[in-house]
Amino acid sequence: MLFKTSNLLICRTYLELTNYSSILFMMETKQMRMSKEHISCCEDMISSLPDEILIMILDKLDACTTITTTVLSKRWLDLPRRSHTCYDLSVYEILPPRYHRLKKIIMEAKAGYEAEKKAQNLIDSCAFKDQYDRFYAVRDQYERWMGKVRLLTPILQRYERLAMRRFVKRVNAFLLPPNNVQQRSTQKLRLQTFCTSGFNQWIMAAIGRWGVEDLEIVIENSWRPYDFRLLDGYQNVRLRRLVLSNCYHYDGHTPLIFQRLTTLTLCNESSGIRLVYDILRDCVQLVDLRLKNSPYHPRAYRYDFPASMLKNLQLDNCSIWKIYLTSLPCLETFAFRGRPTRLHYGDVPRLRHVSLDFLETGDNDDNDNLRRNSTYPLGKFFKGTPPPLEYLVLQLRGHQMWIEPTVIPSRLNHLNKLFIANVPMSWDTFWIFILLAAAPFLQSLHVHFDSNSEKASAAGSLDVVQVEQPQQHRHLRELVVIGFDGAPCQTGFVKRVMRASRWLGRVHLLDGHVVEDEERGLIDLEVVRHRREWHECERLEVLDELTDGTGFPRHKIVLE
């Protein structure tokens, strides 16, 4: 199958390069020299072409197809190829569609079990005496899930074994060719595989032989240790960026290859706290560190590394109780996404950009030892020495309001831009004005209301007039509201900001949503606009409501 697929792709490319009539002439000439008994439909006509033509064909193929041709024959292996710089080798490209459909059935069964847990209010620890009572309450849904797992797991494993046999041949032909093969320039390589015995040779060949500068290793369905000290003896190692998922260094000593890195991403079982501490202590050249899906750690994370050159720290979907940024002198950006976590700032004199994405679901993430409060004051996220923040991105989400109406003791005097995203429509907006009160020199305010969340009740829409009059914001010049549809809670919020900001220069109200920045990840958000056609009567009604009692000029309001 591999041979036929490669030949089809090669034939298609060859037809694009050469005149069709000349191809027919060559084939007719070839057939005239051959006897009829040797002509068959299975004859390899491509291999009879001269090397010059084959090299032209290979130069037009993509990286994956070029790799596939190396297993056809020795002649294809020795042919020079155009130097591709980026390769993505994934076992999922070989797995059939039925494998993904069966995998989806198991995931849907698991999602149904999780939904049943929430429906039965299992998050309330007072409703059940212990964890066994909570388990038996949804035993039927759990048995349906596990029944599908027991039925489909042998089938999935068989597909995985068959795919890995082909995948190993493909990767071996690419990373472990004979020594007489020409040197290949490879800048970026991504390997996504199941656990295999040849894994160690692949890493050594990619880093030591081919000089990969950007390496990403993803191991599915399991985890695997690897001693990266085996690479310390290689000279002229060019690796600068490394991504590890379920592959970790099991020895306590930090290998030399890690000390040369500038960017490191650790996912799942690779992101143990001890390894992270060792890396930050020894890898002084590291400037970008990202942790994803870190396992639960019962103690607080303490980043106290005065010699570190780290500039960017991102923690994505990490179950952490408390974080101490004690000493990171070069840190410029910090991002966190997960459950609400207490943040304590120390010696971070260059910290200018912070992004916090907190989701409170009310459960305990299957960790009975993880202490969680039902509500949090905003001051818990700004403990310690106030950092010189200039840009703050904040996302506080959940089915119920979990912010306490208390002031922030710290003063964010350097903050000039605040982006608040995914505000549930059912939430009160008092906490936004608490943030405004802590940032007296704020110049730009962006607020995004989540239109997919539940709408606020009639009583909830009056929250903007039930609290005391806010202080004046003399420096606020811009207000942008995303997801604006003229709801009473939204217009009330905008009017209150306009009353408190007499020097406001522009109010921009638009419909849309926000997405993560593709390049910066958790650090920043992008606004995706929706085209909303306002009827003239609706437009005038909204503008009249916004200017009534505020005295704000109508021409400074942009309604899209």
Side-chain angles (χ1 to χ4, degrees):
M1 182 64 183
L2 184 63
F3 179 82
K4 292 182 179 179
T5 304
S6 302
N7 270 346
L8 288 175
L9 292 172
I10 294 169
C11 289
R12 188 183 300 115
T13 308
Y14 180 65
L15 289 174
E16 295 175 357
L17 292 172
T18 314
N19 190 296
Y20 183 73
S21 59
S22 61
I23 298 175
L24 292 178
F25 175 78
M26 292 175 58
M27 295 179 64
E28 291 175 358
T29 306
K30 180 75 175 179
Q31 291 176 358
M32 291 175 62
R33 294 197 304 262
M34 300 173 59
S35 57
K36 294 183 179 181
E37 59 269 15
H38 292 92
I39 298 177
S40 64
C41 60
C42 298
E43 186 177 358
D44 184 9
M45 302 293 296
I46 299 297
S47 296
S48 62
L49 297 174
D51 290 349
E52 292 77 9
I53 301 298
L54 295 179
I55 294 174
M56 293 175 59
I57 295 175
L58 290 175
D59 287 343
K60 296 297 181 178
L61 297 177
D62 59 273
C64 292
T65 308
T66 303
I67 297 171
T68 305
T69 60
T70 60
V71 299
L72 296 179
S73 65
K74 293 182 179 180
R75 185 186 180 195
W76 288 96
L77 182 62
D78 297 333
L79 288 174
R81 290 167 172 78
R82 181 169 56 91
S83 179
H84 295 277
T85 59
C86 300
Y87 296 89
D88 187 354
L89 307 179
S90 175
V91 69
Y92 284 103
E93 297 178 354
I94 303 177
L95 290 167
R98 187 168 183 263
Y99 174 87
H100 301 286
R101 290 196 298 267
L102 297 179
K103 198 80 171 180
K104 183 179 180 181
I105 292 175
I106 294 181
M107 298 303 297
E108 291 176 349
K110 181 180 179 180
Y113 166 66
E114 297 293 341
E116 184 69 18
K117 285 177 60 177
K118 293 182 179 180
Q120 295 293 335
N121 294 324
L122 300 185
I123 59 177
D124 187 2
S125 60
C126 299
F128 302 94
K129 295 181 180 180
D130 52 33
Q131 58 181 353
Y132 297 104
D133 292 339
R134 294 196 297 270
F135 169 75
Y136 286 116
V138 289
R139 183 170 57 180
D140 293 339
Q141 187 71 29
Y142 177 80
E143 289 296 335
R144 284 195 292 270
W145 171 34
M146 295 308 299
K148 293 182 179 179
V149 170
R150 289 189 292 267
L151 177 64
L152 299 180
T153 297
I155 303 176
L156 295 176
Q157 291 176 347
R158 180 176 177 271
Y159 280 124
E160 293 171 0
R161 289 193 300 268
L162 295 176
M164 281 301 299
R165 293 174 185 173
R166 297 176 55 190
F167 184 73
V168 168
K169 293 180 180 179
R170 178 179 298 185
V171 178
N172 286 341
F174 174 64
L175 291 178
L176 306 174
N179 295 328
N180 58 352
V181 176
Q182 63 175 351
Q183 186 70 21
R184 184 185 299 111
S185 176
T186 305
Q187 294 182 358
K188 184 176 181 180
L189 174 63
R190 181 177 183 270
L191 285 174
Q192 186 178 18
T193 177
F194 300 112
C195 195
T196 178
S197 58
F199 177 75
N200 296 347
Q201 293 179 319
W202 294 349
I203 296 181
M204 297 180 66
I207 299 176
R209 181 176 180 181
W210 301 115
V212 175
E213 301 177 10
D214 187 339
L215 179 61
E216 182 175 350
I217 301 174
V218 181
I219 299 180
E220 301 289 348
N221 297 347
S222 62
W223 52 269
R224 183 181 181 89
Y226 180 76
D227 188 1
F228 284 89
R229 293 182 305 171
L230 299 174
L231 300 168
D232 291 346
Y234 285 93
Q235 302 295 329
N236 301 323
V237 175
R238 296 184 293 177
L239 187 65
R240 293 296 177 266
R241 179 180 180 270
L242 179 62
V243 179
L244 298 178
S245 179
N246 291 326
C247 174
Y248 64 93
H249 177 66
Y250 61 84
D251 191 85
H253 302 284
T254 305
L256 294 178
I257 189 174
F258 280 14
Q259 300 179 21
R260 303 186 183 102
L261 296 175
T262 58
T263 303
L264 178 62
T265 301
L266 303 176
C267 309
N268 302 317
E269 297 297 331
S270 304
S271 55
I273 186 60
R274 293 183 179 179
L275 176 60
V276 173
Y277 284 168
D278 293 338
I279 290 174
L280 289 175
R281 183 188 66 246
D282 300 330
C283 305
V284 295
Q285 298 184 18
L286 190 66
V287 297
D288 191 334
L289 176 62
R290 307 185 185 191
L291 307 180
K292 296 182 180 180
N293 304 320
S294 296
Y296 169 68
H297 187 70
R299 298 181 181 179
Y301 277 32
R302 299 180 181 272
Y303 295 95
D304 187 5
F305 304 97
S308 174
M309 301 295 292
L310 191 67
K311 295 182 179 180
N312 178 29
L313 177 60
Q314 297 187 28
L315 309 177
D316 187 2
N317 194 23
C318 298
S319 183
I320 305 174
W321 176 51
K322 185 182 293 186
I323 299 175
Y324 286 88
L325 299 177
T326 305
S327 180
L328 290 171
C330 298
L331 188 65
E332 299 177 358
T333 58
F334 172 72
F336 181 89
R337 174 164 57 188
R339 302 289 295 271
T341 301
R342 295 172 176 84
L343 299 176
H344 191 283
Y345 301 90
D347 184 17
V348 283
R350 298 185 182 182
L351 186 58
R352 298 292 187 270
H353 188 169
V354 172
S355 177
L356 305 176
D357 184 358
F358 292 142
L359 173 61
E360 178 58 63
T361 58
D363 58 8
N364 58 359
D365 271 345
D366 296 331
N367 268 316
D368 294 332
N369 298 325
L370 187 60
R371 298 189 300 271
R372 292 291 182 186
N373 295 333
S374 57
T375 59
Y376 292 83
L378 284 174
K380 291 293 184 181
F381 310 138
F382 304 97
K383 303 289 287 186
T385 305
L389 292 182
E390 296 179 357
Y391 184 22
L392 175 62
V393 179
L394 196 59
Q395 302 181 67
L396 307 181
R397 298 174 293 163
H399 298 293
Q400 298 180 352
M401 183 72 183
W402 50 270
I403 299 297
E404 297 178 4
T406 56
V407 297
I408 301 176
S410 303
R411 300 280 288 183
L412 306 176
N413 293 326
H414 297 84
L415 188 65
N416 55 47
K417 183 177 181 180
L418 176 61
F419 197 145
I420 303 175
N422 292 308
V423 178
M425 295 289 291
S426 59
W427 278 31
D428 203 324
T429 56
F430 69 86
W431 59 278
I432 300 180
F433 295 96
I434 293 177
L435 279 170
L436 294 180
F441 299 98
L442 188 69
Q443 299 180 9
S444 176
L445 174 62
H446 288 63
V447 179
H448 164 245
F449 289 95
D450 185 8
S451 59
N452 296 324
S453 61
E454 297 178 357
K455 297 291 185 179
S457 61
S461 63
L462 300 178
D463 67 286
V464 294
V465 297
Q466 292 175 350
V467 297
E468 60 181 7
Q469 185 69 15
Q471 67 181 34
Q472 292 293 317
H473 301 283
R474 300 178 180 273
H475 299 272
L476 189 61
R477 297 293 183 266
E478 179 187 36
L479 172 64
V480 180
V481 179
I482 304 110
F484 184 83
D485 59 1
C489 59
Q490 296 177 346
T491 55
F493 168 77
V494 174
K495 291 178 64 176
R496 187 179 178 191
V497 175
M498 290 192 298
R499 290 194 190 101
S501 308
R502 295 298 181 182
W503 291 268
L504 192 62
R506 184 175 74 103
V507 176
H508 193 180
L509 311 175
L510 62 125
D511 189 14
H513 66 281
V514 296
V515 295
E516 289 185 5
D517 190 284
E518 294 183 359
E519 296 182 357
R520 308 191 67 187
L522 303 179
I523 293 297
D524 207 354
L525 298 174
E526 294 182 353
V527 178
V528 180
R529 299 188 180 187
H530 300 168
R531 178 169 295 185
R532 180 185 178 94
E533 298 294 339
W534 288 88
H535 192 274
E536 190 62 26
C537 295
E538 292 179 331
R539 179 185 296 272
L540 293 176
E541 183 180 354
V542 172
L543 294 177
D544 291 340
E545 176 65 24
L546 293 175
T547 56
D548 183 23
T550 61
F552 194 80
R554 180 174 295 192
H555 68 274
K556 293 185 178 181
I557 302 176
V558 179
L559 183 61
E560 294 183 352

